[in-house]
Amino acid sequence: MNKNISVAFIGLGKMGFPMAMSLLRAKIEVHVYDIAAADNIKLAQEAGAINEANLEKLARSAPFIISMLPNGEVLRDILFGPTNLQSFIQPGSILVDMSTSNPKHTQLTCAELASHNILMIDAPVMGGVAFAKDASLDFLVGGDPGLIEKCQPIFNAIGRSVTHCGPIGSGHALKALTNYINAAAMMNVVEAINIGKTFGMDEQVMAKSLIDTCTGRNHPIVKKVIPKILTGTYDSGMVISLLEKDLTIAADIARETQSEHPLLDGDLEILSTMVKRLGPNVDQTEVAKFWRK
Ligand code: NAD
C-alpha cells in the first residue's frame, strides 16, 4: 500500500466505484463513504478500501478528498449543510470535485473553503463507466496549477489525460459544454436514422455509412448509437437526467455570459421532454425510444 498518498472518496456510485477501484489497483490508500451504495462499499472493502462510518471520520482520514456526487449542490450540502463536512477537513487538505457540477457552485465552494484554508480544484471526467473501469478517463481540470500537480498521481491512477482548462470552475464549464455537444450529436444521429428507417432504409446500413462517410463519424455514434442503441442494450451506464443536468449547466453558463445559444436551448427543450416522458432514471441511450414509440 502506498502510504504516501491517501484519499478520502465520497460517492461510490456507477462512476465512483470503478474510480475508487483504480486507486486501489495503483496501491493508493482509499477511504470511502456513501449514504447508500452498500453493495459497492462492500465490494470496495473486499478490494482493500476502508469504509468510514461518517463524514467526520472520512474527513480526518486523508489529505486528498475526492467527490463523485450527483452534482455540486449535493457537495455544497454535505460541506456546509447539517453534516458540516467542512468543519472536519484538516487545513491544507485538497478537495477534488470530480462530479459534473455547475461552475458557479464550484467557484462559490472554493472561495468558502479557502477562508478555512482548505484548497479545491474541479476535475470532472470525460468518458463513462467503461472508461472508469479501465482507468482511461480524461480529466478536465480547473484551478491552481500547483494543486493540480500535487494531484497528478491520483489522475494517473484513474485516467489517461489531464487538460488544465483554466481557473477554478473551468473544468466544470468545459465538461458541461462538451456534454452538450455529445448529447446533441447523439440525438441528431438517432433522429436522422429514424427518418431514414421510416423512408425504408436499414439502420445498420445507415450507421455504417455514417461511419465511413465524411459527415457521420463522432464519439456518440461509435460509442453509443451503434453498440448501445442499435443493439437494444441501452446500457451506457449514465442516466438521462444526468445528461439533462449537463445541458442545463451549459445553458446556465450561456445565459450568464450572455452568449447566443439557440441550438442549445432547442436541444435542452427536447431532452427535457424526453426525460418527462421516459422518466429520469432510464439510460441516456433510451433517447432513441422517444422516436421509436
Ligand atoms: P450515481 O448516482 O451512480 O452515483 C452518485 C453516488 O453519490 C451514489 O452512490 C449516491 O448514493 C451518492 N450520494 C448522493 N448523495 C450523497 C450524500 N449526501 N453523501 C454521500 N453520498 C451521496 O451517479 P454516477 O453515474 O456515478 O455519476 C456521478 C457523477 O459523475 C455525476 O456528477 C455525473 O454527472 C458524472 N458523470 C457520470 C458519468 C456516467 O456515465 N455515469 C460519466 C461522466 C460523469
Side-chain angles (χ1 to χ4, degrees), residues 10-16 33-37 55 68-71 74 78 98-101 125-129 175 179 236-239 242 245-246 284:
I10 315 172
L12 242 65
K14 291 186 200 66
M15 291 293 288
Y33 177 83
D34 194 298
I35 39 162
L55 284 168
M68 195 56 178
L69 293 162
N71 56 56
V74 174
I78 291 173
M98 295 189 180
S99 330
T100 303
S101 304
V125 298
M126 290 306 302
V129 173
K175 165 73 195 187
N179 253 11
S236 78
M238 175 156 156
V239 296
L242 287 180
K245 172 198 65 171
D246 297 351
Q284 59 172 331

PDB file of all heavy atoms in Angstrom, residues 10-16 33-37 55 68-71 74 78 98-101 125-129 175 179 236-239 242 245-246 284, ligand 1:
ATOM      1  N   ILE A  10     -15.810  10.239  -1.627  1.00  0.00           N
ATOM      2  CA  ILE A  10     -17.254  10.353  -1.310  1.00  0.00           C
ATOM      3  C   ILE A  10     -18.060  10.116  -2.584  1.00  0.00           C
ATOM      4  O   ILE A  10     -17.895  10.834  -3.566  1.00  0.00           O
ATOM      5  CB  ILE A  10     -17.637  11.755  -0.794  1.00  0.00           C
ATOM      6  CG1 ILE A  10     -16.638  12.257   0.230  1.00  0.00           C
ATOM      7  CG2 ILE A  10     -19.047  11.744  -0.202  1.00  0.00           C
ATOM      8  CD1 ILE A  10     -16.875  13.714   0.632  1.00  0.00           C
ATOM      9  N   GLY A  11     -18.946   9.105  -2.551  1.00  0.00           N
ATOM     10  CA  GLY A  11     -19.819   8.842  -3.707  1.00  0.00           C
ATOM     11  C   GLY A  11     -19.357   7.640  -4.488  1.00  0.00           C
ATOM     12  O   GLY A  11     -18.607   7.766  -5.452  1.00  0.00           O
ATOM     13  N   LEU A  12     -19.814   6.452  -4.044  1.00  0.00           N
ATOM     14  CA  LEU A  12     -19.366   5.210  -4.691  1.00  0.00           C
ATOM     15  C   LEU A  12     -20.460   4.649  -5.615  1.00  0.00           C
ATOM     16  O   LEU A  12     -20.821   3.476  -5.530  1.00  0.00           O
ATOM     17  CB  LEU A  12     -18.974   4.181  -3.632  1.00  0.00           C
ATOM     18  CG  LEU A  12     -17.490   3.776  -3.695  1.00  0.00           C
ATOM     19  CD1 LEU A  12     -16.611   4.950  -3.380  1.00  0.00           C
ATOM     20  CD2 LEU A  12     -17.188   2.609  -2.793  1.00  0.00           C
ATOM     21  N   GLY A  13     -20.950   5.519  -6.507  1.00  0.00           N
ATOM     22  CA  GLY A  13     -21.999   5.105  -7.442  1.00  0.00           C
ATOM     23  C   GLY A  13     -21.421   4.451  -8.684  1.00  0.00           C
ATOM     24  O   GLY A  13     -20.345   3.861  -8.646  1.00  0.00           O
ATOM     25  N   LYS A  14     -22.152   4.582  -9.795  1.00  0.00           N
ATOM     26  CA  LYS A  14     -21.753   3.904 -11.037  1.00  0.00           C
ATOM     27  C   LYS A  14     -20.343   4.293 -11.467  1.00  0.00           C
ATOM     28  O   LYS A  14     -19.594   3.463 -11.974  1.00  0.00           O
ATOM     29  CB  LYS A  14     -22.740   4.257 -12.160  1.00  0.00           C
ATOM     30  CG  LYS A  14     -24.115   3.658 -11.977  1.00  0.00           C
ATOM     31  CD  LYS A  14     -24.963   3.957 -13.211  1.00  0.00           C
ATOM     32  CE  LYS A  14     -26.433   3.826 -12.921  1.00  0.00           C
ATOM     33  NZ  LYS A  14     -26.939   4.856 -11.963  1.00  0.00           N
ATOM     34  N   MET A  15     -19.998   5.567 -11.281  1.00  0.00           N
ATOM     35  CA  MET A  15     -18.661   6.032 -11.676  1.00  0.00           C
ATOM     36  C   MET A  15     -17.674   5.943 -10.509  1.00  0.00           C
ATOM     37  O   MET A  15     -16.534   5.494 -10.668  1.00  0.00           O
ATOM     38  CB  MET A  15     -18.734   7.484 -12.149  1.00  0.00           C
ATOM     39  CG  MET A  15     -19.456   7.677 -13.462  1.00  0.00           C
ATOM     40  SD  MET A  15     -18.579   6.950 -14.869  1.00  0.00           S
ATOM     41  CE  MET A  15     -17.199   8.073 -15.035  1.00  0.00           C
ATOM     42  N   GLY A  16     -18.106   6.403  -9.337  1.00  0.00           N
ATOM     43  CA  GLY A  16     -17.193   6.476  -8.192  1.00  0.00           C
ATOM     44  C   GLY A  16     -16.601   5.126  -7.815  1.00  0.00           C
ATOM     45  O   GLY A  16     -15.414   5.029  -7.484  1.00  0.00           O
ATOM     46  N   TYR A  33     -16.899   6.618   1.517  1.00  0.00           N
ATOM     47  CA  TYR A  33     -18.154   6.959   2.209  1.00  0.00           C
ATOM     48  C   TYR A  33     -19.242   7.179   1.167  1.00  0.00           C
ATOM     49  O   TYR A  33     -19.009   7.802   0.138  1.00  0.00           O
ATOM     50  CB  TYR A  33     -17.999   8.235   3.059  1.00  0.00           C
ATOM     51  CG  TYR A  33     -19.288   8.646   3.720  1.00  0.00           C
ATOM     52  CD1 TYR A  33     -19.705   8.070   4.907  1.00  0.00           C
ATOM     53  CD2 TYR A  33     -20.104   9.609   3.119  1.00  0.00           C
ATOM     54  CE1 TYR A  33     -20.917   8.432   5.502  1.00  0.00           C
ATOM     55  CE2 TYR A  33     -21.318   9.971   3.708  1.00  0.00           C
ATOM     56  CZ  TYR A  33     -21.710   9.380   4.889  1.00  0.00           C
ATOM     57  OH  TYR A  33     -22.904   9.739   5.463  1.00  0.00           O
ATOM     58  N   ASP A  34     -20.429   6.646   1.431  1.00  0.00           N
ATOM     59  CA  ASP A  34     -21.596   6.895   0.572  1.00  0.00           C
ATOM     60  C   ASP A  34     -22.832   6.739   1.462  1.00  0.00           C
ATOM     61  O   ASP A  34     -22.848   5.882   2.350  1.00  0.00           O
ATOM     62  CB  ASP A  34     -21.636   5.878  -0.587  1.00  0.00           C
ATOM     63  CG  ASP A  34     -22.610   6.281  -1.694  1.00  0.00           C
ATOM     64  OD1 ASP A  34     -23.823   6.383  -1.424  1.00  0.00           O
ATOM     65  OD2 ASP A  34     -22.147   6.481  -2.832  1.00  0.00           O
ATOM     66  N   ILE A  35     -23.857   7.563   1.219  1.00  0.00           N
ATOM     67  CA  ILE A  35     -25.065   7.403   2.040  1.00  0.00           C
ATOM     68  C   ILE A  35     -25.843   6.142   1.660  1.00  0.00           C
ATOM     69  O   ILE A  35     -26.660   5.666   2.430  1.00  0.00           O
ATOM     70  CB  ILE A  35     -26.058   8.593   1.950  1.00  0.00           C
ATOM     71  CG1 ILE A  35     -26.153   9.124   0.531  1.00  0.00           C
ATOM     72  CG2 ILE A  35     -25.787   9.640   2.984  1.00  0.00           C
ATOM     73  CD1 ILE A  35     -27.400   9.955   0.314  1.00  0.00           C
ATOM     74  N   ALA A  36     -25.615   5.656   0.443  1.00  0.00           N
ATOM     75  CA  ALA A  36     -26.306   4.433   0.007  1.00  0.00           C
ATOM     76  C   ALA A  36     -25.217   3.491  -0.564  1.00  0.00           C
ATOM     77  O   ALA A  36     -24.237   3.245   0.113  1.00  0.00           O
ATOM     78  CB  ALA A  36     -27.372   4.771  -1.018  1.00  0.00           C
ATOM     79  N   ALA A  37     -25.413   2.985  -1.762  1.00  0.00           N
ATOM     80  CA  ALA A  37     -24.408   2.194  -2.491  1.00  0.00           C
ATOM     81  C   ALA A  37     -23.752   1.112  -1.629  1.00  0.00           C
ATOM     82  O   ALA A  37     -22.537   0.872  -1.732  1.00  0.00           O
ATOM     83  CB  ALA A  37     -23.346   3.112  -3.096  1.00  0.00           C
ATOM     84  N   LEU A  55     -18.943  11.185   7.936  1.00  0.00           N
ATOM     85  CA  LEU A  55     -18.127  12.166   7.198  1.00  0.00           C
ATOM     86  C   LEU A  55     -16.996  12.732   8.053  1.00  0.00           C
ATOM     87  O   LEU A  55     -15.941  13.083   7.537  1.00  0.00           O
ATOM     88  CB  LEU A  55     -19.021  13.297   6.682  1.00  0.00           C
ATOM     89  CG  LEU A  55     -19.884  12.924   5.460  1.00  0.00           C
ATOM     90  CD1 LEU A  55     -20.946  13.986   5.209  1.00  0.00           C
ATOM     91  CD2 LEU A  55     -19.030  12.716   4.220  1.00  0.00           C
ATOM     92  N   MET A  68     -17.478  12.360  -5.943  1.00  0.00           N
ATOM     93  CA  MET A  68     -18.064  11.897  -7.216  1.00  0.00           C
ATOM     94  C   MET A  68     -19.562  11.750  -6.962  1.00  0.00           C
ATOM     95  O   MET A  68     -20.100  10.652  -6.836  1.00  0.00           O
ATOM     96  CB  MET A  68     -17.412  10.572  -7.650  1.00  0.00           C
ATOM     97  CG  MET A  68     -17.697  10.233  -9.096  1.00  0.00           C
ATOM     98  SD  MET A  68     -17.170  11.580 -10.187  1.00  0.00           S
ATOM     99  CE  MET A  68     -17.557  10.927 -11.784  1.00  0.00           C
ATOM    100  N   LEU A  69     -20.215  12.910  -6.868  1.00  0.00           N
ATOM    101  CA  LEU A  69     -21.603  13.012  -6.416  1.00  0.00           C
ATOM    102  C   LEU A  69     -22.514  13.419  -7.575  1.00  0.00           C
ATOM    103  O   LEU A  69     -22.036  13.812  -8.632  1.00  0.00           O
ATOM    104  CB  LEU A  69     -21.666  14.056  -5.286  1.00  0.00           C
ATOM    105  CG  LEU A  69     -20.934  13.633  -4.009  1.00  0.00           C
ATOM    106  CD1 LEU A  69     -20.649  14.830  -3.114  1.00  0.00           C
ATOM    107  CD2 LEU A  69     -21.750  12.577  -3.256  1.00  0.00           C
ATOM    108  N   PRO A  70     -23.840  13.363  -7.372  1.00  0.00           N
ATOM    109  CA  PRO A  70     -24.752  13.725  -8.469  1.00  0.00           C
ATOM    110  C   PRO A  70     -24.503  15.132  -9.027  1.00  0.00           C
ATOM    111  O   PRO A  70     -24.605  15.348 -10.229  1.00  0.00           O
ATOM    112  CB  PRO A  70     -26.135  13.623  -7.820  1.00  0.00           C
ATOM    113  CG  PRO A  70     -25.963  12.612  -6.724  1.00  0.00           C
ATOM    114  CD  PRO A  70     -24.566  12.823  -6.209  1.00  0.00           C
ATOM    115  N   ASN A  71     -24.177  16.098  -8.170  1.00  0.00           N
ATOM    116  CA  ASN A  71     -23.923  17.464  -8.655  1.00  0.00           C
ATOM    117  C   ASN A  71     -23.281  18.307  -7.545  1.00  0.00           C
ATOM    118  O   ASN A  71     -23.106  17.844  -6.418  1.00  0.00           O
ATOM    119  CB  ASN A  71     -25.229  18.121  -9.135  1.00  0.00           C
ATOM    120  CG  ASN A  71     -26.294  18.113  -8.047  1.00  0.00           C
ATOM    121  OD1 ASN A  71     -26.065  18.611  -6.951  1.00  0.00           O
ATOM    122  ND2 ASN A  71     -27.447  17.516  -8.352  1.00  0.00           N
ATOM    123  N   VAL A  74     -25.278  18.957  -4.154  1.00  0.00           N
ATOM    124  CA  VAL A  74     -25.157  17.893  -3.139  1.00  0.00           C
ATOM    125  C   VAL A  74     -23.836  18.065  -2.388  1.00  0.00           C
ATOM    126  O   VAL A  74     -23.785  17.962  -1.151  1.00  0.00           O
ATOM    127  CB  VAL A  74     -25.234  16.479  -3.795  1.00  0.00           C
ATOM    128  CG1 VAL A  74     -24.950  15.389  -2.771  1.00  0.00           C
ATOM    129  CG2 VAL A  74     -26.595  16.257  -4.438  1.00  0.00           C
ATOM    130  N   ILE A  78     -23.344  18.709   1.630  1.00  0.00           N
ATOM    131  CA  ILE A  78     -22.504  17.874   2.502  1.00  0.00           C
ATOM    132  C   ILE A  78     -21.485  18.739   3.255  1.00  0.00           C
ATOM    133  O   ILE A  78     -21.242  18.560   4.445  1.00  0.00           O
ATOM    134  CB  ILE A  78     -21.764  16.797   1.671  1.00  0.00           C
ATOM    135  CG1 ILE A  78     -22.750  15.764   1.129  1.00  0.00           C
ATOM    136  CG2 ILE A  78     -20.681  16.119   2.494  1.00  0.00           C
ATOM    137  CD1 ILE A  78     -22.120  14.766   0.175  1.00  0.00           C
ATOM    138  N   MET A  98     -14.762  15.696  -8.667  1.00  0.00           N
ATOM    139  CA  MET A  98     -14.764  15.010  -9.962  1.00  0.00           C
ATOM    140  C   MET A  98     -16.183  14.864 -10.518  1.00  0.00           C
ATOM    141  O   MET A  98     -16.382  14.358 -11.616  1.00  0.00           O
ATOM    142  CB  MET A  98     -14.077  13.648  -9.843  1.00  0.00           C
ATOM    143  CG  MET A  98     -12.608  13.765  -9.499  1.00  0.00           C
ATOM    144  SD  MET A  98     -11.739  12.189  -9.603  1.00  0.00           S
ATOM    145  CE  MET A  98     -10.077  12.694  -9.143  1.00  0.00           C
ATOM    146  N   SER A  99     -17.179  15.277  -9.722  1.00  0.00           N
ATOM    147  CA  SER A  99     -18.565  15.255 -10.198  1.00  0.00           C
ATOM    148  C   SER A  99     -18.702  16.242 -11.353  1.00  0.00           C
ATOM    149  O   SER A  99     -17.848  17.106 -11.551  1.00  0.00           O
ATOM    150  CB  SER A  99     -19.531  15.713  -9.097  1.00  0.00           C
ATOM    151  OG  SER A  99     -19.069  15.417  -7.806  1.00  0.00           O
ATOM    152  N   THR A 100     -19.816  16.124 -12.096  1.00  0.00           N
ATOM    153  CA  THR A 100     -20.134  17.162 -13.078  1.00  0.00           C
ATOM    154  C   THR A 100     -20.993  18.190 -12.355  1.00  0.00           C
ATOM    155  O   THR A 100     -22.159  17.929 -12.055  1.00  0.00           O
ATOM    156  CB  THR A 100     -20.906  16.565 -14.273  1.00  0.00           C
ATOM    157  OG1 THR A 100     -20.110  15.514 -14.835  1.00  0.00           O
ATOM    158  CG2 THR A 100     -21.158  17.615 -15.330  1.00  0.00           C
ATOM    159  N   SER A 101     -20.394  19.330 -12.035  1.00  0.00           N
ATOM    160  CA  SER A 101     -21.075  20.340 -11.214  1.00  0.00           C
ATOM    161  C   SER A 101     -21.201  21.643 -11.989  1.00  0.00           C
ATOM    162  O   SER A 101     -20.489  21.868 -12.964  1.00  0.00           O
ATOM    163  CB  SER A 101     -20.269  20.589  -9.931  1.00  0.00           C
ATOM    164  OG  SER A 101     -20.067  19.386  -9.215  1.00  0.00           O
ATOM    165  N   VAL A 125     -14.816  14.327 -15.254  1.00  0.00           N
ATOM    166  CA  VAL A 125     -14.225  13.339 -16.163  1.00  0.00           C
ATOM    167  C   VAL A 125     -15.032  13.215 -17.451  1.00  0.00           C
ATOM    168  O   VAL A 125     -16.251  13.309 -17.453  1.00  0.00           O
ATOM    169  CB  VAL A 125     -14.145  11.942 -15.492  1.00  0.00           C
ATOM    170  CG1 VAL A 125     -13.248  12.021 -14.262  1.00  0.00           C
ATOM    171  CG2 VAL A 125     -15.523  11.415 -15.092  1.00  0.00           C
ATOM    172  N   MET A 126     -14.318  13.005 -18.544  1.00  0.00           N
ATOM    173  CA  MET A 126     -14.939  12.638 -19.813  1.00  0.00           C
ATOM    174  C   MET A 126     -14.778  11.128 -19.957  1.00  0.00           C
ATOM    175  O   MET A 126     -13.707  10.583 -19.672  1.00  0.00           O
ATOM    176  CB  MET A 126     -14.249  13.340 -20.990  1.00  0.00           C
ATOM    177  CG  MET A 126     -14.498  14.841 -21.067  1.00  0.00           C
ATOM    178  SD  MET A 126     -16.245  15.318 -21.072  1.00  0.00           S
ATOM    179  CE  MET A 126     -16.859  14.438 -22.501  1.00  0.00           C
ATOM    180  N   GLY A 127     -15.850  10.470 -20.436  1.00  0.00           N
ATOM    181  CA  GLY A 127     -15.833   9.009 -20.535  1.00  0.00           C
ATOM    182  C   GLY A 127     -16.772   8.464 -19.472  1.00  0.00           C
ATOM    183  O   GLY A 127     -16.848   9.031 -18.378  1.00  0.00           O
ATOM    184  N   GLY A 128     -17.466   7.389 -19.792  1.00  0.00           N
ATOM    185  CA  GLY A 128     -18.446   6.836 -18.863  1.00  0.00           C
ATOM    186  C   GLY A 128     -17.904   5.660 -18.074  1.00  0.00           C
ATOM    187  O   GLY A 128     -16.685   5.543 -17.846  1.00  0.00           O
ATOM    188  N   VAL A 129     -18.822   4.774 -17.693  1.00  0.00           N
ATOM    189  CA  VAL A 129     -18.487   3.667 -16.786  1.00  0.00           C
ATOM    190  C   VAL A 129     -17.398   2.767 -17.382  1.00  0.00           C
ATOM    191  O   VAL A 129     -16.466   2.352 -16.680  1.00  0.00           O
ATOM    192  CB  VAL A 129     -19.764   2.857 -16.456  1.00  0.00           C
ATOM    193  CG1 VAL A 129     -19.435   1.609 -15.658  1.00  0.00           C
ATOM    194  CG2 VAL A 129     -20.750   3.727 -15.678  1.00  0.00           C
ATOM    195  N   LYS A 175     -16.715  20.767 -19.233  1.00  0.00           N
ATOM    196  CA  LYS A 175     -17.399  19.468 -19.179  1.00  0.00           C
ATOM    197  C   LYS A 175     -18.862  19.623 -19.625  1.00  0.00           C
ATOM    198  O   LYS A 175     -19.378  18.836 -20.426  1.00  0.00           O
ATOM    199  CB  LYS A 175     -17.312  18.916 -17.746  1.00  0.00           C
ATOM    200  CG  LYS A 175     -18.255  17.780 -17.424  1.00  0.00           C
ATOM    201  CD  LYS A 175     -17.857  16.473 -18.054  1.00  0.00           C
ATOM    202  CE  LYS A 175     -19.009  15.490 -17.993  1.00  0.00           C
ATOM    203  NZ  LYS A 175     -18.714  14.165 -18.412  1.00  0.00           N
ATOM    204  N   ASN A 179     -20.446  17.976 -22.976  1.00  0.00           N
ATOM    205  CA  ASN A 179     -21.573  17.036 -22.940  1.00  0.00           C
ATOM    206  C   ASN A 179     -22.781  17.557 -23.711  1.00  0.00           C
ATOM    207  O   ASN A 179     -23.601  16.774 -24.179  1.00  0.00           O
ATOM    208  CB  ASN A 179     -21.950  16.685 -21.499  1.00  0.00           C
ATOM    209  CG  ASN A 179     -21.501  15.277 -21.174  1.00  0.00           C
ATOM    210  OD1 ASN A 179     -20.749  14.678 -21.935  1.00  0.00           O
ATOM    211  ND2 ASN A 179     -21.961  14.741 -20.067  1.00  0.00           N
ATOM    212  N   SER A 236     -25.366   2.367 -21.375  1.00  0.00           N
ATOM    213  CA  SER A 236     -24.135   3.182 -21.348  1.00  0.00           C
ATOM    214  C   SER A 236     -23.674   3.414 -19.916  1.00  0.00           C
ATOM    215  O   SER A 236     -22.512   3.735 -19.677  1.00  0.00           O
ATOM    216  CB  SER A 236     -24.371   4.531 -22.025  1.00  0.00           C
ATOM    217  OG  SER A 236     -25.065   5.406 -21.158  1.00  0.00           O
ATOM    218  N   GLY A 237     -24.618   3.293 -18.947  1.00  0.00           N
ATOM    219  CA  GLY A 237     -24.229   3.486 -17.536  1.00  0.00           C
ATOM    220  C   GLY A 237     -24.481   4.892 -17.028  1.00  0.00           C
ATOM    221  O   GLY A 237     -24.166   5.199 -15.888  1.00  0.00           O
ATOM    222  N   MET A 238     -25.065   5.754 -17.882  1.00  0.00           N
ATOM    223  CA  MET A 238     -25.368   7.115 -17.402  1.00  0.00           C
ATOM    224  C   MET A 238     -26.854   7.390 -17.593  1.00  0.00           C
ATOM    225  O   MET A 238     -27.376   7.228 -18.694  1.00  0.00           O
ATOM    226  CB  MET A 238     -24.548   8.142 -18.186  1.00  0.00           C
ATOM    227  CG  MET A 238     -24.884   9.574 -17.840  1.00  0.00           C
ATOM    228  SD  MET A 238     -23.494  10.654 -18.209  1.00  0.00           S
ATOM    229  CE  MET A 238     -24.312  12.217 -18.419  1.00  0.00           C
ATOM    230  N   VAL A 239     -27.513   7.793 -16.514  1.00  0.00           N
ATOM    231  CA  VAL A 239     -28.957   8.022 -16.612  1.00  0.00           C
ATOM    232  C   VAL A 239     -29.225   9.341 -17.343  1.00  0.00           C
ATOM    233  O   VAL A 239     -28.424  10.269 -17.310  1.00  0.00           O
ATOM    234  CB  VAL A 239     -29.668   8.002 -15.228  1.00  0.00           C
ATOM    235  CG1 VAL A 239     -29.564   6.626 -14.587  1.00  0.00           C
ATOM    236  CG2 VAL A 239     -29.137   9.088 -14.310  1.00  0.00           C
ATOM    237  N   LEU A 242     -28.904  12.895 -15.786  1.00  0.00           N
ATOM    238  CA  LEU A 242     -27.570  13.494 -15.637  1.00  0.00           C
ATOM    239  C   LEU A 242     -27.203  14.283 -16.891  1.00  0.00           C
ATOM    240  O   LEU A 242     -26.579  15.338 -16.826  1.00  0.00           O
ATOM    241  CB  LEU A 242     -26.512  12.417 -15.354  1.00  0.00           C
ATOM    242  CG  LEU A 242     -26.524  11.800 -13.949  1.00  0.00           C
ATOM    243  CD1 LEU A 242     -25.426  10.744 -13.802  1.00  0.00           C
ATOM    244  CD2 LEU A 242     -26.342  12.861 -12.864  1.00  0.00           C
ATOM    245  N   LYS A 245     -29.032  17.425 -16.789  1.00  0.00           N
ATOM    246  CA  LYS A 245     -28.345  18.337 -15.861  1.00  0.00           C
ATOM    247  C   LYS A 245     -27.194  19.054 -16.568  1.00  0.00           C
ATOM    248  O   LYS A 245     -27.013  20.262 -16.447  1.00  0.00           O
ATOM    249  CB  LYS A 245     -27.795  17.548 -14.666  1.00  0.00           C
ATOM    250  CG  LYS A 245     -26.904  18.370 -13.740  1.00  0.00           C
ATOM    251  CD  LYS A 245     -26.030  17.517 -12.830  1.00  0.00           C
ATOM    252  CE  LYS A 245     -25.021  16.694 -13.589  1.00  0.00           C
ATOM    253  NZ  LYS A 245     -24.024  16.024 -12.749  1.00  0.00           N
ATOM    254  N   ASP A 246     -26.414  18.288 -17.360  1.00  0.00           N
ATOM    255  CA  ASP A 246     -25.247  18.884 -18.024  1.00  0.00           C
ATOM    256  C   ASP A 246     -25.662  19.975 -19.013  1.00  0.00           C
ATOM    257  O   ASP A 246     -25.031  21.031 -19.094  1.00  0.00           O
ATOM    258  CB  ASP A 246     -24.442  17.798 -18.755  1.00  0.00           C
ATOM    259  CG  ASP A 246     -23.884  16.764 -17.768  1.00  0.00           C
ATOM    260  OD1 ASP A 246     -23.987  16.996 -16.555  1.00  0.00           O
ATOM    261  OD2 ASP A 246     -23.361  15.740 -18.219  1.00  0.00           O
ATOM    262  N   GLN A 284     -29.233   7.078 -20.711  1.00  0.00           N
ATOM    263  CA  GLN A 284     -29.260   8.195 -21.681  1.00  0.00           C
ATOM    264  C   GLN A 284     -29.529   7.717 -23.116  1.00  0.00           C
ATOM    265  O   GLN A 284     -30.143   8.430 -23.915  1.00  0.00           O
ATOM    266  CB  GLN A 284     -27.932   8.955 -21.647  1.00  0.00           C
ATOM    267  CG  GLN A 284     -26.745   8.071 -21.961  1.00  0.00           C
ATOM    268  CD  GLN A 284     -25.422   8.829 -22.118  1.00  0.00           C
ATOM    269  OE1 GLN A 284     -25.420   9.977 -22.510  1.00  0.00           O
ATOM    270  NE2 GLN A 284     -24.310   8.187 -21.811  1.00  0.00           N
TER     271      GLN A 284
HETATM  272  P1  NAD B   1     -24.626   7.679  -9.244  1.00  0.00           P
HETATM  273  O1  NAD B   1     -25.979   8.190  -8.871  1.00  0.00           O
HETATM  274  O2  NAD B   1     -24.498   6.255  -9.656  1.00  0.00           O
HETATM  275  O3  NAD B   1     -23.591   7.951  -8.041  1.00  0.00           O
HETATM  276  C1  NAD B   1     -23.693   9.032  -7.136  1.00  0.00           C
HETATM  277  C2  NAD B   1     -23.427   8.484  -5.744  1.00  0.00           C
HETATM  278  O4  NAD B   1     -23.447   9.578  -4.823  1.00  0.00           O
HETATM  279  C3  NAD B   1     -24.482   7.485  -5.264  1.00  0.00           C
HETATM  280  O5  NAD B   1     -23.867   6.264  -4.874  1.00  0.00           O
HETATM  281  C4  NAD B   1     -25.155   8.186  -4.084  1.00  0.00           C
HETATM  282  O6  NAD B   1     -25.585   7.308  -3.067  1.00  0.00           O
HETATM  283  C5  NAD B   1     -24.028   9.100  -3.622  1.00  0.00           C
HETATM  284  N1  NAD B   1     -24.541  10.221  -2.841  1.00  0.00           N
HETATM  285  C6  NAD B   1     -25.580  11.037  -3.135  1.00  0.00           C
HETATM  286  N2  NAD B   1     -25.767  11.930  -2.137  1.00  0.00           N
HETATM  287  C7  NAD B   1     -24.828  11.642  -1.192  1.00  0.00           C
HETATM  288  C8  NAD B   1     -24.518  12.197   0.078  1.00  0.00           C
HETATM  289  N3  NAD B   1     -25.219  13.227   0.586  1.00  0.00           N
HETATM  290  N4  NAD B   1     -23.484  11.661   0.785  1.00  0.00           N
HETATM  291  C9  NAD B   1     -22.780  10.615   0.284  1.00  0.00           C
HETATM  292  N5  NAD B   1     -23.035  10.052  -0.916  1.00  0.00           N
HETATM  293  C10 NAD B   1     -24.048  10.553  -1.638  1.00  0.00           C
HETATM  294  O7  NAD B   1     -24.120   8.665 -10.394  1.00  0.00           O
HETATM  295  P2  NAD B   1     -22.899   8.423 -11.417  1.00  0.00           P
HETATM  296  O8  NAD B   1     -23.459   7.978 -12.712  1.00  0.00           O
HETATM  297  O9  NAD B   1     -21.816   7.663 -10.726  1.00  0.00           O
HETATM  298  O10 NAD B   1     -22.436   9.946 -11.637  1.00  0.00           O
HETATM  299  C11 NAD B   1     -21.667  10.641 -10.640  1.00  0.00           C
HETATM  300  C12 NAD B   1     -21.188  11.957 -11.234  1.00  0.00           C
HETATM  301  O11 NAD B   1     -20.365  11.700 -12.388  1.00  0.00           O
HETATM  302  C13 NAD B   1     -22.323  12.868 -11.724  1.00  0.00           C
HETATM  303  O12 NAD B   1     -21.990  14.204 -11.403  1.00  0.00           O
HETATM  304  C14 NAD B   1     -22.364  12.628 -13.221  1.00  0.00           C
HETATM  305  O13 NAD B   1     -22.890  13.733 -13.941  1.00  0.00           O
HETATM  306  C15 NAD B   1     -20.886  12.389 -13.519  1.00  0.00           C
HETATM  307  N6  NAD B   1     -20.586  11.541 -14.688  1.00  0.00           N
HETATM  308  C16 NAD B   1     -21.284  10.378 -14.899  1.00  0.00           C
HETATM  309  C17 NAD B   1     -20.962   9.567 -15.988  1.00  0.00           C
HETATM  310  C18 NAD B   1     -21.686   8.284 -16.265  1.00  0.00           C
HETATM  311  O14 NAD B   1     -21.501   7.719 -17.360  1.00  0.00           O
HETATM  312  N7  NAD B   1     -22.481   7.754 -15.348  1.00  0.00           N
HETATM  313  C19 NAD B   1     -19.916   9.946 -16.851  1.00  0.00           C
HETATM  314  C20 NAD B   1     -19.203  11.115 -16.582  1.00  0.00           C
HETATM  315  C21 NAD B   1     -19.539  11.904 -15.482  1.00  0.00           C
END
